[in-house]
Structures are given as structure tokens and as C-alpha cells.
Amino acid sequence: MIVVTGATGNIGRPLTRALAEAGQEVTAVSRRAAEVPDGVRHFTADLTQPASLVPALEGAKALFL
């Protein structure tokens, strides 16, 4: 599973979409609730509060920060 932080930004949004379309298991992380492609998990977290990232990182094989 690949975790993409900033998944609603200028780079993260198209990356999340491309990974999902390529059949990758993706977890999107953003500071606020957001729409994500079908099949993509979403977590709300704040990078200034590392503990908030723990659930999103469970099972991750890669991280795009």
C-alpha cells in the first residue's frame, strides 16, 4: 500500500489518481476531509502532529511526502 500525503494538492491529487488507476492500493492523507478516487482510503491527519499519521501508515510499503 502506498501512502500519499498532501493528497488533495497540486501534486498529490494527480498522483493519487494515477496510482489508483494503475491498480495500486493507495491511502490518501490530507488535513481536511476530501473526495478521493473510488477504492482509495482517506485519512485526515496533520504532519505537525505525527501521532495523527499512525493509522494512515499501518501496512504502508511506500510513502510519498
Side-chain angles (χ1 to χ4, degrees):
M1 183 250 304
I2 301 170
V3 176
V4 178
T5 62
T8 59
N10 292 330
I11 295 171
R13 184 180 309 273
L15 175 61
T16 298
R17 186 179 326 115
L19 289 169
E21 289 173 357
Q24 295 295 317
E25 184 180 355
V26 182
T27 296
V29 179
S30 62
R31 288 179 283 171
R32 295 177 198 80
E35 287 187 35
V36 296
D38 289 339
V40 173
R41 294 187 323 159
H42 180 267
F43 284 91
T44 302
D46 187 333
L47 295 180
T48 65
Q49 298 177 3
S52 71
L53 291 168
V54 171
L57 296 174
E58 288 183 24
K61 293 183 180 178
L63 170 67
F64 179 84
L65 182 61

